[in-house]
Structures are given as C-alpha cells and as structure tokens.
Amino acid sequence: FIFWAIFEQAGTSLNIFADRFTHTHIGGMEVPSSWYQAANPFFVILLAPLFAVLWTKLGDKQPSSPMKFTIGLFSLACAFGVMVPAAKLAIEGRVSPLWLFGLYFLQTVGEMCLSPVGLSTFTKLSPARLVGAMLGIWFLGAAFGNKFAGVLATAFGEGEATHLDRFFGQQSAAVFIIALVFLSLVPWVRRRMGGVR
C-alpha cells in the first residue's frame, strides 16, 4: 500500500514536475514531458531479465522475500530522495531530465524487488483454496495505494518550486522510516513463513 502510494505518483506530481520544471529538449529534439512516463516501462524491460538471472544465480543465497520487500522500500525512499536536490535546482530554472531518469530507475529497482516477489509470496503462503482471494487482497492494497497517491499528490499544489524539496523530502523520509520498521521485522516474518523463501 505505502509503496504504491509513492510509486504511482508518476502520473501526478512527477508528471507535473516533468512538465513545469524539467528540460524538454534531449539532443536538440523537443520531447513532450509526457514521454518521460515511458522511463518506468523501459527500465522494467531492461531490469526484469537481469533480476531473474540474479535471483536464479543466487539460488538459496538470495535475500528472503521480506528482505526483498525491505530493499524495494529503501530503493523507493532513495528515488524520492534524489528529487530533493532536483527540486532545489528547479528554483533557478528547468533541470536535466537525468534527475527524473534516476528517480524512475530507482523506483523500478524497488518495483522489481516488491511486485513480482509479492505475487509469488502470496501464492506460496496462501492455502490452495484461498489463493485467488489472497491475490485479490494484494491487488486491493495496490488499488488503495493508487488512491492514496492522488491524495499525497494534492500536497504538490500548484507546483511552487520553493516547496517542492519539502514535498519530496517528507515522502522519502516516511518511506525510509517504514523500510527501517520492515527491516527490524524481517527475522520475525521469516520465522513465521515456515521455510518459504
């Protein structure tokens, strides 16, 4: 829920930042700000096979599912943390699109550690007769996250550059704290998973 509430701001606050505060010329070519939305799908296509190879090669040495969730949250916190200096630079004028690409890259790393892992873990841990219902709960959490993403994005307001560093910083700090809580709970959760990785 929390992950998606931050992640899904790609279509709201991050898109407004791309439109109002990011250079729209790359290599002398005019790039509509909406095109930056393609960064996440691009990184998914790029990173998904790499993560599949990584987890396969690590085998039993790979992080547990709860630890992967925690890594995903830390990556998301870092993604929004990247936008704090970008927001400060935006006070002076439009910033490089590399800031957004960095954010989307880190968000996608977080997504790779959380989304497919969550689906797999829910499937493995659910009683056979309840797998469909439990996956429905997983997607319901994502839906609530999408709704909350819109609520959080209202704090972006009219996009006054002087307040944007606080907007990104507060959300980065909140996710970082939640990630620390998850990290502290990893051993307890692993014990309760009964050997399921």
Side-chain angles (χ1 to χ4, degrees):
F1 161 76
I2 295 297
F3 180 89
W4 299 116
I6 307 299
F7 182 91
E8 293 297 349
Q9 288 185 57
T12 54
S13 59
L14 296 177
N15 206 32
I16 295 171
F17 188 90
D19 186 56
R20 297 181 184 173
F21 302 107
T22 305
H23 285 298
T24 53
H25 287 85
I26 298 179
M29 184 179 74
E30 177 73 25
V31 176
S33 58
S34 59
W35 285 17
Y36 293 131
Q37 294 287 299
N40 173 248
F42 171 78
F43 286 130
V44 167
I45 292 168
L46 180 70
L47 293 176
L50 298 179
F51 271 86
V53 170
L54 175 65
W55 300 145
T56 302
K57 279 193 172 293
L58 287 175
D60 291 339
K61 294 180 180 177
Q62 67 181 280
S64 64
S65 297
M67 182 55 76
K68 289 177 184 175
F69 278 30
T70 304
I71 294 168
L73 287 168
F74 275 122
S75 184
L76 183 64
C78 291
F80 262 56
V82 161
M83 293 306 291
V84 174
K88 288 181 177 178
L89 289 171
I91 296 172
E92 306 298 326
R94 289 180 179 263
V95 299
S96 167
L98 291 177
W99 292 104
L100 280 175
F101 290 144
L103 170 133
Y104 284 123
F105 176 80
L106 289 169
Q107 277 197 335
T108 307
V109 169
E111 183 183 11
M112 292 292 101
C113 291
L114 190 133
S115 184
V117 175
L119 290 169
S120 173
T121 305
F122 262 60
T123 303
K124 290 174 184 174
L125 292 176
S126 302
R129 67 183 185 281
L130 294 176
V131 170
M134 294 306 292
L135 287 176
I137 291 172
W138 169 265
F139 285 112
L140 186 62
F144 279 124
N146 275 264
K147 167 62 178 171
F148 196 52
V151 173
L152 288 174
T154 60
F156 195 86
E158 295 300 316
E160 295 177 28
T162 52
H163 300 117
L164 294 183
D165 60 329
R166 190 182 322 133
F167 172 81
F168 291 119
Q170 287 173 343
Q171 294 185 65
S172 175
V175 177
F176 186 78
I177 291 167
I178 292 167
L180 287 175
V181 172
F182 266 67
L183 182 62
S184 69
L185 292 173
V186 166
W188 179 79
V189 174
R190 283 188 62 185
R191 286 194 299 272
R192 303 199 46 96
M193 287 175 65
V196 173
R197 293 193 60 83

